[in-house]
Amino acid sequence: LLRVATEPDMLKNETITLYGPAILILLIVAWGLGRILYLRLREDVSVLTVLRQEKTDAERALAIIAIILDGYLLLRPLIPDLDQWVYTQQSSIPEFGLTIMLFGLFVVLLCQFAMGKSWRIGVPAEKEESQTLITTGFYAYSRNPIYVGILIFLLGCVVTVPGPITILSLVFTAMFVRTIVKNEEVFMAASFGKEFETYCHEVRRWI
């Protein structure tokens, strides 16, 4: 038998889709800022490599996508008609979508923490003393688990808030991440040589 959605069910779904993604975005921002400040103040490590050099087209594109998507998810609870303006549909399984987002977020944060002083946003011009090749934890199963976690998070966004903004964010992020990963691999090969070559033979680029 088909179960007809009641008004309380619809209100619950609307609350999850409105506030769940916004809360997760705020958690990501808080974690990222906290981690950056900790590494800078306690370990004398500057994470924001991307600010010290010319950005690639792929990096610029990903930054624009992140600003648009994050801004949209944060503004949705404040502007009730925003979803209608951008043709977003109501999700029938927001709890499942939010679970996917949480899992993706868990992977990203755990991997960032595991990188310790090696974590950078952007590719340095040359290897820094504090950087080492991380091959344990999720990195034993994927060479790029942070990007995998980001894509899982975006997939959860699509399920929770299905619409052009979330769908295009997932598609274009997947496209541009491939370019960024190739640039990072050139840096890794130059920095870690045979050690990175062996790692590439043992662990897949994605999963």
Side-chain angles (χ1 to χ4, degrees):
L1 294 178
L2 293 176
R3 180 176 178 271
V4 178
T6 63
E7 186 172 340
D9 289 334
M10 296 176 64
L11 181 60
K12 176 185 174 184
N13 287 355
E14 184 178 355
T15 301
I16 291 173
T17 57
L18 274 179
Y19 294 99
I23 290 172
L24 291 184
I25 293 296
L26 291 174
L27 286 174
I28 293 171
V29 172
W31 164 268
L33 291 175
R35 189 71 181 152
I36 289 170
L37 288 174
Y38 172 82
L39 290 173
R40 182 60 178 173
L41 298 175
R42 297 293 297 273
E43 305 290 350
D44 195 29
V45 170
S46 179
V47 172
L48 297 172
T49 301
V50 71
L51 299 182
R52 302 197 300 267
Q53 59 196 41
E54 183 68 21
K55 288 177 281 295
T56 65
D57 291 338
E59 288 171 338
R60 291 191 188 95
L62 281 183
I64 293 171
I65 292 170
I67 291 170
I68 292 174
L69 178 62
D70 292 354
Y72 166 62
L73 294 177
L74 289 172
L75 287 174
R76 289 178 67 245
L78 305 176
I79 306 176
D81 294 331
L82 185 57
D83 282 351
Q84 295 181 19
W85 299 344
V86 296
Y87 303 103
T88 295
Q89 305 300 311
Q90 182 70 36
S91 174
S92 59
I93 48 174
E95 297 97 334
F96 180 60
L98 202 62
T99 300
I100 296 174
M101 293 177 70
L102 279 167
F103 178 71
L105 178 60
F106 170 77
V107 172
V108 170
L109 300 188
L110 196 63
C111 291
Q112 286 182 354
F113 184 79
M115 288 188 73
K117 294 188 290 185
S118 295
W119 179 44
R120 297 293 185 277
I121 299 176
V123 181
E126 58 184 19
K127 178 179 174 292
E128 298 173 12
E129 185 178 349
S130 60
Q131 291 186 294
T132 58
L133 183 63
I134 310 299
T135 60
T136 57
F138 281 112
Y139 290 92
Y141 306 98
S142 169
R143 301 204 304 268
N144 298 281
I146 289 181
Y147 290 128
V148 172
I150 289 172
L151 293 174
I152 292 172
F153 179 86
L154 292 176
L155 176 62
C157 286
V158 172
V159 176
T160 309
V161 190
I165 290 180
T166 53
I167 293 172
L168 291 176
S169 293
L170 173 60
V171 172
F172 284 117
T173 296
M175 289 172 51
F176 290 121
V177 158
R178 291 175 63 87
T179 301
I180 288 177
V181 164
K182 289 179 181 179
N183 293 336
E184 290 180 350
E185 288 180 345
V186 171
F187 166 79
M188 298 291 283
S191 300
F192 299 103
K194 184 66 176 178
E195 184 183 7
F196 181 68
E197 182 181 344
T198 301
Y199 178 57
C200 289
H201 285 304
E202 295 176 349
V203 179
R204 294 176 181 271
R205 176 179 287 163
W206 302 111
I207 53 175

